Amino acid sequence: METNIDLKKIWNQQKIETPKVEILYAKANKLKSRSFLQLIIVNITLLLTITFIGFIWYYYQPELVTTKIGIILTILAVIIFLLPYNKQFSLLSKTKTEPNSKEYLQQLIKLKEKQTFQQTTMLSTYFIILSLGIGLYLFEYVSKMTITWGIITYVITILWIAINWFYLRPKIITKQNAKLNKLLVEFERLNNQMIE
């Protein structure tokens, strides 16, 4: 009776469930397509927002300098958000040919890094500048209201910003990260199996 047990041989013989490569690439391409569509929608929406804000400035001709500074800060916030956000364009618009899994993993890691930077640094900067811009913009119009309506206006605005910051933003970030993280794990597993 042989007492030497070859653990490595037993370990290598066990079946490891791996997703089919085609399915994995299809999932990655689907994620990239959705992210690309989202990129286009965000760009269109924010560019229309800049146009609308410019129209408000032109049409209503604000009197106070705080209102003009508020409008400039709001437009600046949108531009500051869009510039790094659009750097994802090159990663998302690449052809859907199937490179090897190592290249694909590197693309997904770069996308993850850009998303993380966008979700943390740029989104925080955007919200701070946007909040300041909206606050300054509202000052001229709130000063013409009664004190009660002025307080109500600022409370509603602060509440809206707080809901976006503390509820919607983390929910969207978690959803985006979950999809990308799952693909990263699957591609890393595939790469590790190819190395072995």
Side-chain angles (χ1 to χ4, degrees):
M1 183 169 159
E2 189 177 325
T3 57
N4 292 339
I5 300 174
D6 189 358
L7 291 176
K8 187 175 181 179
K9 184 178 179 183
I10 294 172
W11 180 261
N12 288 336
Q13 286 177 348
Q14 72 182 17
K15 290 186 179 180
I16 299 172
E17 205 173 300
T18 58
K20 290 190 175 183
V21 177
E22 300 84 27
I23 295 172
L24 198 54
Y25 283 121
K27 284 181 184 179
N29 285 332
K30 186 176 179 182
L31 176 75
K32 286 174 75 174
S33 295
R34 282 186 180 170
S35 297
F36 185 73
L37 181 63
Q38 182 183 10
L39 181 86
I40 291 171
I41 290 171
V42 167
N43 270 285
I44 290 170
T45 304
L46 290 180
L47 290 173
L48 286 174
T49 302
I50 288 174
T51 305
F52 180 70
I53 292 169
F55 171 76
I56 288 173
W57 188 345
Y58 175 77
Y59 187 77
Y60 289 105
Q61 295 293 317
E63 297 168 9
L64 296 179
V65 74
T66 56
T67 310
K68 295 172 184 173
I69 292 171
I71 290 172
I72 290 169
L73 285 175
T74 304
I75 292 171
L76 183 66
V78 172
I79 292 170
I80 285 173
F81 179 80
L82 278 178
L83 289 176
Y85 187 66
N86 286 331
K87 289 186 179 178
Q88 295 178 30
F89 183 79
S90 62
L91 289 172
L92 297 173
S93 64
K94 288 188 178 179
T95 58
K96 293 182 181 178
T97 57
E98 294 181 5
N100 68 42
S101 61
K102 189 173 183 177
E103 289 173 12
Y104 224 98
L105 178 62
Q106 292 304 316
Q107 284 181 1
L108 291 175
I109 289 171
K110 285 179 187 175
L111 182 61
K112 173 74 176 164
E113 289 169 357
K114 287 183 188 281
Q115 278 187 354
T116 301
F117 177 73
Q118 189 70 27
Q119 293 166 348
T120 55
T121 307
M122 295 318 298
L123 202 55
S124 299
T125 305
Y126 168 75
F127 265 103
I128 290 167
I129 296 173
L130 182 68
S131 300
L132 186 60
I134 290 172
L136 287 172
Y137 173 77
L138 288 176
F139 180 74
E140 179 177 341
Y141 304 107
V142 169
S143 64
K144 295 176 184 175
M145 299 177 183
T146 64
I147 190 131
T148 307
W149 280 110
I151 291 171
I152 289 171
T153 302
Y154 271 117
V155 166
I156 288 172
T157 304
I158 291 169
L159 185 64
W160 173 76
I161 291 170
I163 288 170
N164 277 291
W165 181 258
F166 294 110
Y167 178 72
L168 293 177
R169 181 185 67 91
K171 195 172 184 177
I172 291 168
I173 288 172
T174 304
K175 188 177 176 183
Q176 282 179 342
N177 288 343
K179 291 177 183 176
L180 191 54
N181 288 341
K182 185 177 178 185
L183 275 174
L184 281 169
V185 167
E186 289 178 6
F187 270 99
E188 283 175 358
R189 188 181 309 145
L190 181 65
N191 274 339
N192 291 339
Q193 287 176 355
M194 292 175 124
I195 290 170
E196 294 171 358

